[in-house]
Structures are given as C-alpha cells and as structure tokens.
C-alpha cells in the first residue's frame, strides 16, 4: 500500500522536539524528509537520556520518536557554501520546515521572504513559541513553559493552595501535540497548492496549540470575566457516574456516563445494588446531585469492595462508558493498541528492534510503517551525490567544514 505523502519532499532545519516531531509524522506518512543538522548535530542528540538496548547501546526514545524515517545531512548554514547546498536541495522540494528563531533565520538567509523569493512554489512551514506576529514574535519557548505554563493548562490542573503548579505528564507533551497540528497545516497547504497552484507560508505555535486545547475554558473565562475556574472537588462530582474510583486492589477505573439517568439503573443492577436505583434520594440526576455526599459515598464504597478484574467483568455487562486508568507500562499489552498498530517494533539496524508508537491514523484500515531515526550525517554523501556533486566536490566541502 502506498503512503499518502509519497512523492513529497520536505527539507527540515529544526531542532529539539516540536518541529522535528512534525517532520517525523510527515516521514511516517511517506514524505522524503531530509533533516539538515549543524556540525554538532541537533542538540536533542546530546541529552543522553534513555536506557540501553540488548547490545548495550543507549537508546534515546525522544530522538528516535521525533526523527523517525528521516535522512540526515550535516551542513554549516552559516557559510555561503552550506546555503548553496541547501538551495540546491530546495529546487525540487515541496516544503521547507523550520523552528529556528527569526534572527537566526535571517542571518542564515533561510527566512520566509528569502526562501519564498527564490522558490515561490515552496510551502514555508514554521513552528514558533507564541506566533509569528506581535511584540514577542521573536521570543523562544519550550513545551513546559510556553505550552504548559503560559497556555493555561498547568493552572487549570493545579488546586488552590498547592505548593507548586502541576507539571507536564511526560517529555514533549505539548511539543508532540503542536507538531501534529503543524503537520495538519502542512497537509492542508499541500492540498491548497494542488487545487489552486498557490503555495503558502504556515505557522503553528506552542501557545496557539495550548489555547486550542483549552478553548472551552478560555472562551468561558473570556465571556464571564473569570480569572480561573476552581478545580472541582473530587469527592463531590456533579454526576457520580463521571468520576474515578479506586478498586479493592488499589487500581482505578474512570467512568464517563454522561447520560446519567440512562445508565444509572442498569449500572446499579449489574453491580449488585439495585436498591440504589430505587432509593428516592438517588432516583434521578437531580436527586443524586442534591444528595451527592450520600450517593458518592455509596458508589465509592461499592467500587472499593471488588478488584479491578471483577469490575471489568461487571462493567462489561452494561452499556455505560468506562475504562481502566492504565500505567504507561501497560500500553504494550493493550489489545486495541496491538490490533491497530499503535505500538510497533522497529528495526534498529544492529540486529535488535526498538518499540515505537505509530501514528494514530489508519489509511484503508492499515497503520503506517515506521523506521528508525538517522545517525548524524548518515546520508550526507548520498544526498550530495543526488544533487550532482562529484566525489571531489564532496571532499572539498568537507575540507571547508561545510559538510561533516
């Protein structure tokens, strides 16, 4: 099966996680993504995080995840000879992808005006911290500060009086969401160019993606002149069938039965407590809200009386929506993750395989294949040869310190 972006060429000048994650997504979708790295490499390579594989080799899953399927060429874009190679690469490219700050882009002559001026048919795609216009448009940012903190997410998760605000749940949480948004913008620009012949300049920011994710609260706060919505107390749910409950073996179940009156009686029946449904204090949603302390106490005690396995069997016999609160280490065993190719094993090139999360997209029922990330400059010679450089010219570029 062919991939949807086969035949699309993307040239990426980016580092860290946000925009590289977008490039990795485009690579999985079939695009030829050529990653241009400085002589020292993308600084993400130098973090030295992650564990060792079976061969004793350190695996950085951040690097592998966000740079999957790309080709790497090292170029010093501070030198004109390096930019000349870049311009050759862009002659037949469809997308130029970057997250360098605007001053760096201008100094390297890779800003939108310069690139679009030379290549008017190319899609210029950038990832920014807080957007490409405004007084802070040249400000840098990171997931933890721009997306998570400035975007209102941390504050919304943090209870009043907390010693510290709640931090991100894991590495590059906002980066990967923003990268996905940018890949969508690029695909839309590719479609627009195919339909109209017009190439676009597109930008996605960490701040904008955070606001998109928090739009319900932001719009309500704006309309009602509210600074912050109080975090609802966990022990007083508006609907006792929309809450988390601890089982007798210390696990948690998440219930999201929004149509409370539809599911209340069937839930009570399969749970062995039909008396709760007939209790006049709990007979409908209004009554349950008015008697939330008693109702929540009954349901909480009910869940605490059985194990997770017992509850999975019980809840499967009714139609209300629920699921297990899983740990990340359990995801490899999730039957739906396995069936849909959301977690796969990828050839690492040394006789071993590494786990990799696949795109959450299926095309014609099929998951997209993935391949590992490139070593630094692994494709420099091959890319230069494809541009018409002779062996002597490639050696000369290396002597000059343009290519490494």
């Amino acid at each position: 099966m062919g991939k949807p972006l086969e035949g699309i060429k993307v040239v990426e000048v980016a580092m860290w996680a946000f925009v590289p994650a977008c490039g990795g997504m485009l690579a999985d979708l079939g695009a030829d993504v050529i990653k241009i790295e400085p002589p020292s490499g993308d600084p993400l390579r130098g973090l030295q995080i992650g564990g060792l594989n079976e061969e004793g080799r350190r695996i950085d899953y951040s690097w592998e995840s966000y740079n999957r399927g790309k080709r790497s060429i090292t170029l010093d874009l501070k030198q004109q000879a390096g930019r000349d190679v870049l311009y050759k690469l862009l002659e037949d490219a469809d997308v130029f992808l970057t997250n360098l700050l605007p001053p760096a882009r201008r100094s390297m002559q890779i800003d939108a005006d310069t690139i679009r001026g030379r290549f008017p048919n190319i899609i210029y795609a950038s990832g920014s911290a807080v957007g490409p216009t405004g007084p802070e448009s040249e400000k840098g940012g990171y997931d933890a500060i721009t997306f998570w903190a400035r975007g209102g997410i941390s504050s919304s998760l943090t209870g009043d009086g907390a010693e510290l605000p709640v931090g991100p749940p894991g590495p590059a949480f906002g980066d990967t969401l923003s990268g996905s948004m940018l890949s969508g913008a690029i695909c839309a620009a590719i479609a627009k160019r195919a339909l109209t012949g017009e190439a676009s300049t597109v930008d996605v920011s960490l701040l904008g993606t955070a606001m998109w994710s928090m739009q319900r609260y932001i719009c309500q706060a704006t309309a009602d002149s509210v600074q912050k919505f109080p975090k609802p107390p966990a022990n007083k749910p508006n609907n006792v069938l929309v809450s988390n409950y601890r089982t007798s073996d210390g696990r948690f179940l998440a219930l999201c039965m929004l149509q409370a009156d539809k599911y209340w009686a069937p839930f009570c029946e399969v749970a062995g407590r039909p008396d709760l449904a007939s209790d006049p204090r709990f007979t409908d949603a209004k009554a349950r809200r008015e008697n939330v302390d008693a109702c929540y106490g009954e349901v909480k005690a009910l869940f605490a009386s059985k194990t997770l396995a017992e509850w999975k069997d019980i809840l499967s016999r009714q139609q209300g929506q629920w699921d297990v609160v899983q740990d990340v280490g359990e995801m490899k065993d999730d039957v739906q993750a396995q069936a849909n190719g959301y977690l796969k094993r990828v050839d690492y090139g040394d006789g071993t395989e590494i786990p990799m999360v696949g795109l959450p997209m299926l095309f014609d029922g099929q998951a997209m294949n993935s391949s590992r990330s490139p070593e630094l400059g692994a494709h420099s010679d091959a890319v230069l040869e494809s541009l018409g450089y002779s062996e002597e010219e490639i050696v000369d570029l290396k002597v000059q310190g343009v290519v490494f």
Side-chain angles (χ1 to χ4, degrees), residues 97-153:
L97 179 60
T98 187
N99 67 348
L100 269 61
L101 294 179
R105 294 185 221 170
R106 291 192 293 269
S107 71
M108 295 180 187
Q109 300 174 37
I110 60 171
D111 55 289
D113 289 342
T114 300
I115 296 297
R116 291 296 306 282
R118 295 180 66 111
F119 308 101
N121 197 44
I122 202 166
I123 294 163
Y124 189 98
S126 58
S128 62
V130 293
T133 59
E136 298 180 42
S137 60
E138 299 195 350
K139 176 184 175 73
Y142 285 98
D143 173 12
I145 57 174
T146 312
F147 177 93
W148 192 257
R150 186 168 181 168
I153 300 172

Side-chain angles (χ1 to χ4, degrees), residues 179-347:
S180 300
M181 190 71 75
L182 182 55
S183 73
I186 290 169
C187 289
I190 291 171
K192 176 189 173 184
R193 192 184 64 173
L195 293 170
T196 69
E198 298 178 22
S200 299
T201 298
V202 300
D203 182 90
V204 167
S205 71
L206 290 165
L207 177 61
T209 304
M211 292 184 68
W212 176 261
S213 302
M214 293 296 294
Q215 58 183 288
R216 172 63 180 81
Y217 267 10
I218 291 171
C219 292
Q220 193 70 57
T222 301
D224 296 348
S225 298
V226 172
Q227 174 75 14
K228 177 183 177 181
F229 292 101
K231 198 165 184 282
N235 63 344
K236 284 186 182 292
N238 187 53
N239 173 1
V240 295
L241 293 183
V242 180
S243 191
N244 296 319
Y245 291 98
R246 184 190 294 269
T247 63
S248 64
D249 52 349
R251 296 301 304 270
F252 286 94
L253 284 156
L255 275 59
C256 192
M257 304 182 196
L258 298 174
Q259 296 170 279
D261 286 339
K262 176 181 178 180
Y263 298 118
W264 175 245
F267 163 76
C268 294
E269 183 68 32
V270 299
R273 290 294 306 275
D275 59 298
L276 293 178
S278 60
D279 190 318
R281 297 174 300 165
F282 312 143
T283 187
D284 59 22
K286 182 175 182 294
R288 290 191 294 276
R289 281 194 298 271
E290 291 173 349
N291 298 279
V292 63
D293 289 338
C295 189
Y296 179 71
E298 291 280 7
V299 177
K300 184 178 178 181
L302 181 59
F303 274 96
S305 69
K306 294 180 174 62
T307 65
L308 175 63
E310 290 174 310
W311 275 114
K312 288 171 69 174
D313 176 62
I314 291 168
L315 292 172
S316 68
R317 291 188 259 120
Q318 53 86 58
Q319 294 184 338
Q321 296 77 27
W322 62 277
D323 227 318
V324 178
V325 178
Q326 293 196 132
D327 296 324
V328 291
E330 294 177 287
M331 300 310 301
K332 67 182 184 303
D333 301 315
D334 189 298
V335 293
Q336 286 303 113
Q338 294 173 346
N340 290 281
Y342 296 150
L343 184 63
K344 61 190 73 177
R345 306 290 298 185
V346 173
D347 182 5

Side-chain angles (χ1 to χ4, degrees), residues 54-73:
E54 297 170 3
E55 304 298 316
R57 189 173 184 178
R58 184 170 296 280
I59 307 295
D60 178 356
Y61 288 104
S62 291
W63 173 258
E64 293 297 333
S65 296
Y66 314 142
N67 292 283
R68 61 180 69 197
K70 301 176 186 178
R71 295 194 286 163
S72 170
I73 174 174

